[in-house]
Amino acid sequence: MSSPREHSLTTSHKLEYGYKRSLGPVLSRFFTGIRDRKILGARRADGTVIVPPKEYDPDTSAALDELTPVGPGGVVKSWAWVSEPRRQQPLDRAFAYALIQLDGADTSFLHVVDAKEESAMNTGMRVVAAWSDQATGAITDLSFVPESKNSREDAN
Amino acid sequence: MSEEANEPIEVLRLPVELEYQYTAGESASRFLRAIKRGKLLGQRCPVDGRVYFPTRGCCPQHGVPMADDGSVELPDVGTLVTYSIVRIPSENIPLDLPYVTIQVLLDGADTVMMHVLGECALEDVHMGMRLKAKWKPEEEWESSVGNILYFVPQDEPDAPYDSYKEHI
């Protein structure tokens, strides 16, 4: 005869891979720039600027090593509102993921706009970089906020 | 990283995390409750009588349910079937290097379990060694195979190769 059934045991598990990525010469300069509160793009032979920088030109495959500062302001080209952020997302409050074309750049940069409310977002709006107090050299050192008269002054 | 404030950033840490609740199910729960009492529970297949360790819900070979009363208590002694000497550290494994991971065939079982070997010089490790579990103090037992700290070589002749060759 079977013994009376007991309930199943349950426990919490955490699966974790502690990856480290070697950045290489170009992205190393990009992330060092982030720590130093500068956003760098890579200049191509035709003068256009790719942000974030790539090691090689996506069309000609030529090695890229000229980095140039862009931003800190830019234009939102497209966006999606995240009303209920998950724990590992960049902010603990509602925010927008946006494609941002920074001033001086010719491509859009996927990043975060800390806009407080969805109604504050629109395509074509100007945003400006806001830096976290802790400069660690991670992409999360940075977020963007809607550009206001005040934020323009901060940026200057 | 503030102490490296002027060094270039050359490496990015990108941990991938998955946190979840694991429910053991009836059969594994029976095994885990038993090991909390210091007992090792296997389960006998009703078709061919092979003993699987730990207990599981059904026989993986015949696909038939394993009844509760097919449980078999196994001794904490067995044979080292195969092993590997580990010399590379891993953040989630708190063992001093080098250490030896082993597959142990408990006496009476037809499947092996993975564990580590202790109290044995590296040059003495070999297949067929007879082993016994070294348990944590009883007051520290929980529902975990970690109640066994490691296996220790026994002062007895090696098991004959034929007794464990199908498990290599």
PDB file of all heavy atoms in Angstrom, chain B residues 49-78:
ATOM      1  N   GLY B  49      13.669  -4.780 -12.227  1.00  0.00           N
ATOM      2  CA  GLY B  49      14.243  -4.850 -10.884  1.00  0.00           C
ATOM      3  C   GLY B  49      15.482  -4.005 -10.687  1.00  0.00           C
ATOM      4  O   GLY B  49      16.096  -4.032  -9.616  1.00  0.00           O
ATOM      5  N   ARG B  50      15.888  -3.229 -11.719  1.00  0.00           N
ATOM      6  CA  ARG B  50      17.075  -2.377 -11.527  1.00  0.00           C
ATOM      7  C   ARG B  50      16.750  -1.267 -10.519  1.00  0.00           C
ATOM      8  O   ARG B  50      15.623  -0.763 -10.474  1.00  0.00           O
ATOM      9  CB  ARG B  50      17.508  -1.754 -12.860  1.00  0.00           C
ATOM     10  CG  ARG B  50      18.173  -2.770 -13.774  1.00  0.00           C
ATOM     11  CD  ARG B  50      18.307  -2.212 -15.176  1.00  0.00           C
ATOM     12  NE  ARG B  50      19.316  -1.172 -15.259  1.00  0.00           N
ATOM     13  CZ  ARG B  50      20.601  -1.395 -15.498  1.00  0.00           C
ATOM     14  NH1 ARG B  50      21.039  -2.623 -15.694  1.00  0.00           N
ATOM     15  NH2 ARG B  50      21.461  -0.399 -15.562  1.00  0.00           N
ATOM     16  N   VAL B  51      17.740  -0.894  -9.729  1.00  0.00           N
ATOM     17  CA  VAL B  51      17.532   0.102  -8.676  1.00  0.00           C
ATOM     18  C   VAL B  51      18.116   1.440  -9.132  1.00  0.00           C
ATOM     19  O   VAL B  51      19.313   1.539  -9.424  1.00  0.00           O
ATOM     20  CB  VAL B  51      18.181  -0.345  -7.354  1.00  0.00           C
ATOM     21  CG1 VAL B  51      18.116   0.768  -6.314  1.00  0.00           C
ATOM     22  CG2 VAL B  51      17.472  -1.596  -6.833  1.00  0.00           C
ATOM     23  N   TYR B  52      17.242   2.419  -9.213  1.00  0.00           N
ATOM     24  CA  TYR B  52      17.643   3.758  -9.618  1.00  0.00           C
ATOM     25  C   TYR B  52      17.878   4.610  -8.383  1.00  0.00           C
ATOM     26  O   TYR B  52      17.095   4.547  -7.423  1.00  0.00           O
ATOM     27  CB  TYR B  52      16.554   4.395 -10.493  1.00  0.00           C
ATOM     28  CG  TYR B  52      16.498   3.751 -11.865  1.00  0.00           C
ATOM     29  CD1 TYR B  52      15.766   2.588 -12.079  1.00  0.00           C
ATOM     30  CD2 TYR B  52      17.213   4.297 -12.923  1.00  0.00           C
ATOM     31  CE1 TYR B  52      15.753   1.987 -13.327  1.00  0.00           C
ATOM     32  CE2 TYR B  52      17.199   3.708 -14.175  1.00  0.00           C
ATOM     33  CZ  TYR B  52      16.472   2.553 -14.373  1.00  0.00           C
ATOM     34  OH  TYR B  52      16.451   1.955 -15.604  1.00  0.00           O
ATOM     35  N   PHE B  53      18.939   5.397  -8.439  1.00  0.00           N
ATOM     36  CA  PHE B  53      19.259   6.267  -7.310  1.00  0.00           C
ATOM     37  C   PHE B  53      19.606   7.643  -7.861  1.00  0.00           C
ATOM     38  O   PHE B  53      20.418   7.752  -8.750  1.00  0.00           O
ATOM     39  CB  PHE B  53      20.461   5.720  -6.522  1.00  0.00           C
ATOM     40  CG  PHE B  53      20.898   6.628  -5.410  1.00  0.00           C
ATOM     41  CD1 PHE B  53      20.243   6.611  -4.188  1.00  0.00           C
ATOM     42  CD2 PHE B  53      21.939   7.539  -5.598  1.00  0.00           C
ATOM     43  CE1 PHE B  53      20.628   7.468  -3.168  1.00  0.00           C
ATOM     44  CE2 PHE B  53      22.316   8.398  -4.578  1.00  0.00           C
ATOM     45  CZ  PHE B  53      21.662   8.365  -3.365  1.00  0.00           C
ATOM     46  N   PRO B  54      19.015   8.754  -7.328  1.00  0.00           N
ATOM     47  CA  PRO B  54      17.950   8.745  -6.327  1.00  0.00           C
ATOM     48  C   PRO B  54      16.604   8.295  -6.923  1.00  0.00           C
ATOM     49  O   PRO B  54      16.517   8.020  -8.098  1.00  0.00           O
ATOM     50  CB  PRO B  54      17.869  10.211  -5.906  1.00  0.00           C
ATOM     51  CG  PRO B  54      18.606  11.014  -6.915  1.00  0.00           C
ATOM     52  CD  PRO B  54      19.382  10.096  -7.782  1.00  0.00           C
ATOM     53  N   THR B  55      15.607   8.279  -6.039  1.00  0.00           N
ATOM     54  CA  THR B  55      14.258   7.902  -6.471  1.00  0.00           C
ATOM     55  C   THR B  55      13.782   8.833  -7.580  1.00  0.00           C
ATOM     56  O   THR B  55      14.115  10.010  -7.621  1.00  0.00           O
ATOM     57  CB  THR B  55      13.263   8.041  -5.308  1.00  0.00           C
ATOM     58  OG1 THR B  55      13.441   9.338  -4.735  1.00  0.00           O
ATOM     59  CG2 THR B  55      13.492   7.001  -4.244  1.00  0.00           C
ATOM     60  N   ARG B  56      12.986   8.277  -8.459  1.00  0.00           N
ATOM     61  CA  ARG B  56      12.380   9.124  -9.496  1.00  0.00           C
ATOM     62  C   ARG B  56      10.981   8.596  -9.779  1.00  0.00           C
ATOM     63  O   ARG B  56      10.642   7.488  -9.387  1.00  0.00           O
ATOM     64  CB  ARG B  56      13.247   9.171 -10.737  1.00  0.00           C
ATOM     65  CG  ARG B  56      13.562   7.828 -11.322  1.00  0.00           C
ATOM     66  CD  ARG B  56      14.740   7.915 -12.269  1.00  0.00           C
ATOM     67  NE  ARG B  56      15.986   8.010 -11.535  1.00  0.00           N
ATOM     68  CZ  ARG B  56      17.158   8.336 -12.086  1.00  0.00           C
ATOM     69  NH1 ARG B  56      17.240   8.614 -13.352  1.00  0.00           N
ATOM     70  NH2 ARG B  56      18.253   8.366 -11.364  1.00  0.00           N
ATOM     71  N   GLY B  57      10.207   9.383 -10.458  1.00  0.00           N
ATOM     72  CA  GLY B  57       8.784   9.074 -10.615  1.00  0.00           C
ATOM     73  C   GLY B  57       8.502   7.870 -11.474  1.00  0.00           C
ATOM     74  O   GLY B  57       7.561   7.125 -11.226  1.00  0.00           O
ATOM     75  N   CYS B  58       9.322   7.674 -12.508  1.00  0.00           N
ATOM     76  CA  CYS B  58       9.064   6.525 -13.361  1.00  0.00           C
ATOM     77  C   CYS B  58      10.391   5.995 -13.881  1.00  0.00           C
ATOM     78  O   CYS B  58      11.416   6.670 -13.810  1.00  0.00           O
ATOM     79  CB  CYS B  58       8.125   6.883 -14.505  1.00  0.00           C
ATOM     80  SG  CYS B  58       8.818   8.089 -15.620  1.00  0.00           S
ATOM     81  N   CYS B  59      10.341   4.779 -14.382  1.00  0.00           N
ATOM     82  CA  CYS B  59      11.552   4.163 -14.904  1.00  0.00           C
ATOM     83  C   CYS B  59      11.887   4.777 -16.259  1.00  0.00           C
ATOM     84  O   CYS B  59      11.055   4.747 -17.166  1.00  0.00           O
ATOM     85  CB  CYS B  59      11.343   2.659 -15.045  1.00  0.00           C
ATOM     86  SG  CYS B  59      12.711   1.904 -15.959  1.00  0.00           S
ATOM     87  N   PRO B  60      13.083   5.335 -16.398  1.00  0.00           N
ATOM     88  CA  PRO B  60      13.417   5.983 -17.672  1.00  0.00           C
ATOM     89  C   PRO B  60      13.560   4.994 -18.824  1.00  0.00           C
ATOM     90  O   PRO B  60      13.449   5.375 -19.972  1.00  0.00           O
ATOM     91  CB  PRO B  60      14.758   6.669 -17.373  1.00  0.00           C
ATOM     92  CG  PRO B  60      15.297   6.028 -16.162  1.00  0.00           C
ATOM     93  CD  PRO B  60      14.141   5.460 -15.403  1.00  0.00           C
ATOM     94  N   GLN B  61      13.766   3.719 -18.499  1.00  0.00           N
ATOM     95  CA  GLN B  61      13.931   2.739 -19.569  1.00  0.00           C
ATOM     96  C   GLN B  61      12.595   2.154 -20.013  1.00  0.00           C
ATOM     97  O   GLN B  61      12.351   1.969 -21.203  1.00  0.00           O
ATOM     98  CB  GLN B  61      14.855   1.612 -19.114  1.00  0.00           C
ATOM     99  CG  GLN B  61      15.232   0.703 -20.271  1.00  0.00           C
ATOM    100  CD  GLN B  61      16.239  -0.366 -19.866  1.00  0.00           C
ATOM    101  OE1 GLN B  61      16.744  -0.387 -18.752  1.00  0.00           O
ATOM    102  NE2 GLN B  61      16.514  -1.263 -20.796  1.00  0.00           N
ATOM    103  N   HIS B  62      11.704   1.884 -19.064  1.00  0.00           N
ATOM    104  CA  HIS B  62      10.444   1.216 -19.411  1.00  0.00           C
ATOM    105  C   HIS B  62       9.238   2.148 -19.379  1.00  0.00           C
ATOM    106  O   HIS B  62       8.147   1.752 -19.787  1.00  0.00           O
ATOM    107  CB  HIS B  62      10.215   0.021 -18.474  1.00  0.00           C
ATOM    108  CG  HIS B  62      11.326  -0.981 -18.513  1.00  0.00           C
ATOM    109  ND1 HIS B  62      12.326  -1.032 -17.558  1.00  0.00           N
ATOM    110  CD2 HIS B  62      11.621  -1.933 -19.435  1.00  0.00           C
ATOM    111  CE1 HIS B  62      13.186  -1.988 -17.878  1.00  0.00           C
ATOM    112  NE2 HIS B  62      12.785  -2.548 -19.011  1.00  0.00           N
ATOM    113  N   GLY B  63       9.438   3.355 -18.870  1.00  0.00           N
ATOM    114  CA  GLY B  63       8.345   4.317 -18.872  1.00  0.00           C
ATOM    115  C   GLY B  63       7.206   3.982 -17.933  1.00  0.00           C
ATOM    116  O   GLY B  63       6.118   4.527 -18.059  1.00  0.00           O
ATOM    117  N   VAL B  64       7.439   3.073 -16.994  1.00  0.00           N
ATOM    118  CA  VAL B  64       6.355   2.693 -16.064  1.00  0.00           C
ATOM    119  C   VAL B  64       6.543   3.450 -14.740  1.00  0.00           C
ATOM    120  O   VAL B  64       7.674   3.740 -14.341  1.00  0.00           O
ATOM    121  CB  VAL B  64       6.343   1.181 -15.793  1.00  0.00           C
ATOM    122  CG1 VAL B  64       5.992   0.426 -17.061  1.00  0.00           C
ATOM    123  CG2 VAL B  64       7.691   0.703 -15.251  1.00  0.00           C
ATOM    124  N   PRO B  65       5.418   3.756 -14.061  1.00  0.00           N
ATOM    125  CA  PRO B  65       5.554   4.432 -12.760  1.00  0.00           C
ATOM    126  C   PRO B  65       6.273   3.523 -11.765  1.00  0.00           C
ATOM    127  O   PRO B  65       6.119   2.314 -11.795  1.00  0.00           O
ATOM    128  CB  PRO B  65       4.104   4.661 -12.316  1.00  0.00           C
ATOM    129  CG  PRO B  65       3.260   4.378 -13.496  1.00  0.00           C
ATOM    130  CD  PRO B  65       4.033   3.486 -14.408  1.00  0.00           C
ATOM    131  N   MET B  66       7.070   4.143 -10.911  1.00  0.00           N
ATOM    132  CA  MET B  66       7.701   3.387  -9.834  1.00  0.00           C
ATOM    133  C   MET B  66       6.853   3.599  -8.591  1.00  0.00           C
ATOM    134  O   MET B  66       6.681   4.732  -8.134  1.00  0.00           O
ATOM    135  CB  MET B  66       9.105   3.913  -9.581  1.00  0.00           C
ATOM    136  CG  MET B  66      10.001   3.768 -10.801  1.00  0.00           C
ATOM    137  SD  MET B  66      11.577   3.121 -10.351  1.00  0.00           S
ATOM    138  CE  MET B  66      12.688   4.005 -11.404  1.00  0.00           C
ATOM    139  N   ALA B  67       6.313   2.509  -8.051  1.00  0.00           N
ATOM    140  CA  ALA B  67       5.417   2.623  -6.905  1.00  0.00           C
ATOM    141  C   ALA B  67       6.191   3.041  -5.659  1.00  0.00           C
ATOM    142  O   ALA B  67       7.389   2.777  -5.536  1.00  0.00           O
ATOM    143  CB  ALA B  67       4.735   1.276  -6.649  1.00  0.00           C
ATOM    144  N   ASP B  68       5.492   3.704  -4.737  1.00  0.00           N
ATOM    145  CA  ASP B  68       6.117   4.128  -3.485  1.00  0.00           C
ATOM    146  C   ASP B  68       6.803   2.958  -2.772  1.00  0.00           C
ATOM    147  O   ASP B  68       7.851   3.100  -2.179  1.00  0.00           O
ATOM    148  CB  ASP B  68       5.063   4.704  -2.529  1.00  0.00           C
ATOM    149  CG  ASP B  68       4.505   6.014  -3.060  1.00  0.00           C
ATOM    150  OD1 ASP B  68       4.954   6.448  -4.141  1.00  0.00           O
ATOM    151  OD2 ASP B  68       3.629   6.581  -2.394  1.00  0.00           O
ATOM    152  N   ASP B  69       6.163   1.780  -2.849  1.00  0.00           N
ATOM    153  CA  ASP B  69       6.707   0.659  -2.085  1.00  0.00           C
ATOM    154  C   ASP B  69       7.892   0.003  -2.803  1.00  0.00           C
ATOM    155  O   ASP B  69       8.407  -1.001  -2.344  1.00  0.00           O
ATOM    156  CB  ASP B  69       5.616  -0.367  -1.751  1.00  0.00           C
ATOM    157  CG  ASP B  69       4.874  -0.825  -2.991  1.00  0.00           C
ATOM    158  OD1 ASP B  69       5.306  -0.442  -4.099  1.00  0.00           O
ATOM    159  OD2 ASP B  69       3.879  -1.556  -2.855  1.00  0.00           O
ATOM    160  N   GLY B  70       8.311   0.585  -3.933  1.00  0.00           N
ATOM    161  CA  GLY B  70       9.531   0.102  -4.574  1.00  0.00           C
ATOM    162  C   GLY B  70      10.769   0.758  -4.034  1.00  0.00           C
ATOM    163  O   GLY B  70      11.874   0.536  -4.539  1.00  0.00           O
ATOM    164  N   SER B  71      10.595   1.605  -2.999  1.00  0.00           N
ATOM    165  CA  SER B  71      11.747   2.297  -2.446  1.00  0.00           C
ATOM    166  C   SER B  71      12.735   1.314  -1.820  1.00  0.00           C
ATOM    167  O   SER B  71      12.334   0.362  -1.161  1.00  0.00           O
ATOM    168  CB  SER B  71      11.307   3.300  -1.373  1.00  0.00           C
ATOM    169  OG  SER B  71      10.592   4.350  -1.988  1.00  0.00           O
ATOM    170  N   VAL B  72      14.012   1.566  -2.031  1.00  0.00           N
ATOM    171  CA  VAL B  72      15.062   0.702  -1.508  1.00  0.00           C
ATOM    172  C   VAL B  72      16.048   1.578  -0.766  1.00  0.00           C
ATOM    173  O   VAL B  72      16.526   2.569  -1.312  1.00  0.00           O
ATOM    174  CB  VAL B  72      15.815   0.014  -2.670  1.00  0.00           C
ATOM    175  CG1 VAL B  72      16.911  -0.886  -2.128  1.00  0.00           C
ATOM    176  CG2 VAL B  72      14.865  -0.754  -3.555  1.00  0.00           C
ATOM    177  N   GLU B  73      16.329   1.213   0.485  1.00  0.00           N
ATOM    178  CA  GLU B  73      17.333   1.982   1.204  1.00  0.00           C
ATOM    179  C   GLU B  73      18.720   1.430   0.884  1.00  0.00           C
ATOM    180  O   GLU B  73      18.947   0.222   0.961  1.00  0.00           O
ATOM    181  CB  GLU B  73      17.077   1.919   2.708  1.00  0.00           C
ATOM    182  CG  GLU B  73      17.907   2.955   3.436  1.00  0.00           C
ATOM    183  CD  GLU B  73      17.717   2.891   4.946  1.00  0.00           C
ATOM    184  OE1 GLU B  73      16.599   2.540   5.391  1.00  0.00           O
ATOM    185  OE2 GLU B  73      18.688   3.191   5.661  1.00  0.00           O
ATOM    186  N   LEU B  74      19.606   2.331   0.488  1.00  0.00           N
ATOM    187  CA  LEU B  74      20.939   1.909   0.059  1.00  0.00           C
ATOM    188  C   LEU B  74      21.969   2.271   1.126  1.00  0.00           C
ATOM    189  O   LEU B  74      21.794   3.249   1.859  1.00  0.00           O
ATOM    190  CB  LEU B  74      21.298   2.600  -1.260  1.00  0.00           C
ATOM    191  CG  LEU B  74      20.396   2.207  -2.433  1.00  0.00           C
ATOM    192  CD1 LEU B  74      20.601   3.154  -3.608  1.00  0.00           C
ATOM    193  CD2 LEU B  74      20.670   0.774  -2.854  1.00  0.00           C
ATOM    194  N   PRO B  75      23.047   1.484   1.208  1.00  0.00           N
ATOM    195  CA  PRO B  75      24.103   1.807   2.168  1.00  0.00           C
ATOM    196  C   PRO B  75      24.932   2.978   1.653  1.00  0.00           C
ATOM    197  O   PRO B  75      24.874   3.305   0.466  1.00  0.00           O
ATOM    198  CB  PRO B  75      24.939   0.526   2.185  1.00  0.00           C
ATOM    199  CG  PRO B  75      24.774  -0.029   0.802  1.00  0.00           C
ATOM    200  CD  PRO B  75      23.361   0.310   0.379  1.00  0.00           C
ATOM    201  N   ASP B  76      25.704   3.591   2.543  1.00  0.00           N
ATOM    202  CA  ASP B  76      26.520   4.738   2.122  1.00  0.00           C
ATOM    203  C   ASP B  76      27.922   4.285   1.724  1.00  0.00           C
ATOM    204  O   ASP B  76      28.885   5.018   1.894  1.00  0.00           O
ATOM    205  CB  ASP B  76      26.553   5.823   3.208  1.00  0.00           C
ATOM    206  CG  ASP B  76      27.259   5.370   4.471  1.00  0.00           C
ATOM    207  OD1 ASP B  76      27.571   4.161   4.580  1.00  0.00           O
ATOM    208  OD2 ASP B  76      27.498   6.213   5.348  1.00  0.00           O
ATOM    209  N   VAL B  77      28.009   3.074   1.184  1.00  0.00           N
ATOM    210  CA  VAL B  77      29.285   2.578   0.666  1.00  0.00           C
ATOM    211  C   VAL B  77      29.108   2.173  -0.788  1.00  0.00           C
ATOM    212  O   VAL B  77      28.007   1.816  -1.222  1.00  0.00           O
ATOM    213  CB  VAL B  77      29.814   1.365   1.478  1.00  0.00           C
ATOM    214  CG1 VAL B  77      30.162   1.771   2.891  1.00  0.00           C
ATOM    215  CG2 VAL B  77      28.796   0.241   1.462  1.00  0.00           C
ATOM    216  N   GLY B  78      30.181   2.287  -1.551  1.00  0.00           N
ATOM    217  CA  GLY B  78      30.086   1.947  -2.962  1.00  0.00           C
ATOM    218  C   GLY B  78      31.451   1.905  -3.614  1.00  0.00           C
ATOM    219  O   GLY B  78      32.484   1.877  -2.943  1.00  0.00           O
TER     220      GLY B  78
END
